[in-house]
Amino acid sequence: VSQLLREIEAIIGSEGPIGIDRYMALALGHPVHGYYTTRDPLGAAGDFTTAPEISQMFGELLGLWAVAVWDAMGRPSPCRLVELGPGRGTLMADALRAAGRVPEFEAACSVHLVETSPALRARQRAALEGRDVSWHADVEEVPEGPMILLANEFLDALPIRQFVRTEAGWHERLVGLGSEGGLAFGLAPHPAAGLDGAAGRPGDIIETCPAAQALVAGLARRLVAAGGAALFIDYGPATDGPGDSLQAVRRHGFADPLAEPGQADLTAHVRFGALARVAARSGATAHGPIGQGAFLEALGIRARAAALSRGRDEATQAALASALARLTGPEAMGELFKAFAIAAPKLGPLPGLPAGDAEAHRG
Ligand SMILES: C[S@@+](CC[C@H](N)C(=O)[O-])C[C@H]1O[C@@H](n2cnc3c(N)ncnc32)[C@H](O)[C@@H]1O
């Protein structure tokens, strides 16, 4: 039995069942035994593979996106180029290499990585060797001023809460002790406050992500005041609806989310509509969501793949074609993954994203 499972059992034993948000925060971020604290989970030999690890094209296009946004902002200097949850640092390394074509951008932008995992900070340091980069535990620590922020598969790791509809109302789904040992899901005995008005049928599950909402609210206020944009790429439905999306992934396959906390990645779908409403309430504009495939196509991924293929051997060309299909194909990452941005309203349309429509998200 893992140390972390014992620790969580002890917490529940003394305090009673805990919210899924607290469980996720412990499983992923426990300071000693947390999933991200102890390992680099990325890549073929790890648990899952992300877009920047599939191809250099992903980070390169995001780097050029950042340059175009900086240009539309009026080329502010200084400007903060920020990444949340940078994994192995691959996305930022590819983005900076591509953005290096515009030396004024490089000169104006300081690079800030927001990362809690010591194991992944070490990987990032190696990937970005020779670059002037600062690390932060929280985005609030990034120095003030205009900002362009990138985040790939970051929001899906933030802790969620779930509520299950019963005849009596919405009850929070909790993690408690199972009757045969280990952990088990259960329901809070009393309906949750504040959800009485939400429609639903018995058995429906709704999810909220208070951490993502607080993050987006803070970013929206900052972007409105100081200028800039934040781009999130993550997986989630185009329109919010009920459903349990909590999942555990280990060695490229699904696992039981409660079986071995700290040994499997835990994620939930991102509810973009809820985040767009939060951004609009702070006066920021929401752009998208749009499928990752359509977004990358609009940024020119096909032309980039063709340029990288030119004059190369057959195996390299086949690898590039396969990476292109994985990143953009509707049956691969092209539709489930979405690009979504929030920005200062004066910025206007953003590259690759449908024009912002704050009114559609008010409520
Ligand atoms: C699924 S990985 C994605 C990595 C990278 N963006 C990529 O696409 O390969 C999630 C990243 O977010 C980091 N992370 C998770 N929770 C975090 C938090 N609360 N604050 C900062 N970083 C966090 C993880 O350590 C990891 O770097």
Side-chain angles (χ1 to χ4, degrees):
V1 176
S2 79
Q3 285 261 32
L4 184 54
L5 179 55
R6 270 204 215 106
E7 211 170 295
I8 292 174
E9 285 172 343
I11 291 172
I12 296 171
S14 70
E15 299 177 29
I18 58 176
I20 291 174
D21 52 346
R22 185 151 174 219
Y23 175 74
M24 264 182 101
L26 285 165
L28 296 178
H30 183 283
V32 180
H33 307 298
Y35 178 75
Y36 280 114
T37 315
T38 54
R39 76 196 70 212
D40 165 12
L42 290 141
D47 291 325
F48 55 87
T49 302
T50 56
E53 302 300 328
I54 290 174
S55 169
Q56 68 185 76
M57 297 186 285
F58 187 81
E60 289 171 348
L61 291 172
L62 264 53
L64 298 178
W65 184 91
V67 173
V69 169
W70 175 73
D71 193 54
M73 288 161 68
R75 303 191 153 216
S77 180
C79 184
R80 318 295 172 196
L81 179 62
V82 183
E83 188 182 353
L84 305 182
R88 289 181 166 175
T90 310
L91 190 164
M92 187 54 84
D94 292 336
L96 291 175
R97 192 180 59 253
R101 302 249 176 143
V102 183
E104 301 91 327
F105 174 84
E106 234 181 354
C109 295
S110 54
V111 179
H112 302 268
L113 303 182
V114 178
E115 175 62 71
T116 41
S117 160
L120 287 170
R121 277 191 185 199
R123 292 294 305 244
Q124 293 153 20
R125 197 167 289 120
L128 293 162
E129 217 189 315
R131 300 254 181 208
D132 192 6
V133 172
S134 10
W135 277 267
H136 310 273
D138 193 289
V139 71
E140 299 285 336
E141 294 172 11
V142 173
E144 61 185 20
M147 171 168 79
I148 299 169
L149 179 144
L150 307 172
N152 186 60
E153 288 206 50
F154 174 79
L155 296 176
D156 67 1
L158 297 181
I160 60 155
R161 297 175 71 182
Q162 290 187 335
F163 300 88
V164 181
R165 181 78 193 194
T166 72
E167 297 296 347
W170 293 97
H171 293 252
E172 183 159 10
R173 199 168 177 226
L174 302 174
V175 177
L177 301 177
S179 53
E180 288 158 23
L183 303 173
F185 288 113
L187 291 187
H190 303 292
L195 282 173
D196 326 337
R201 282 179 306 211
D204 278 357
I205 296 185
I206 53 175
E207 295 179 340
T208 64
C209 189
Q213 295 189 9
L215 171 77
V216 165
L219 284 175
R221 282 192 295 271
R222 175 169 175 159
L223 295 172
V224 170
L231 173 66
F232 297 94
I233 300 184
D234 231 306
Y235 63 127
T239 50
D240 295 354
D244 167 17
S245 76
L246 179 69
Q247 69 175 34
V249 164
R250 193 175 182 187
R251 307 220 185 293
H252 300 266
F254 293 111
D256 174 348
L258 299 186
E260 290 180 282
Q263 301 297 317
D265 189 28
L266 290 179
T267 61
H269 284 177
V270 175
R271 310 288 167 172
F272 295 107
L275 299 182
R277 284 192 294 277
V278 167
R281 277 201 287 274
S282 298
T285 318
H287 303 251
I290 182 178
Q292 170 176 301
F295 177 67
L296 295 176
E297 298 272 4
L299 297 185
I301 193 167
R302 249 162 233 287
R304 182 64 183 137
L308 287 171
S309 290
R310 212 161 293 136
R312 305 298 298 274
D313 59 76
E314 237 170 74
T316 308
Q317 295 188 355
L320 279 160
S322 146
L324 179 64
R326 278 178 80 182
L327 291 174
T328 62
E331 71 297 339
M333 299 175 80
E335 281 178 2
L336 181 55
F337 282 76
K338 310 277 188 316
F340 168 79
I342 63 168
K346 60 176 178 235
L347 203 46
L350 299 177
L353 292 164
D357 179 8
E359 288 307 318
H361 296 299
R362 264 192 227 290

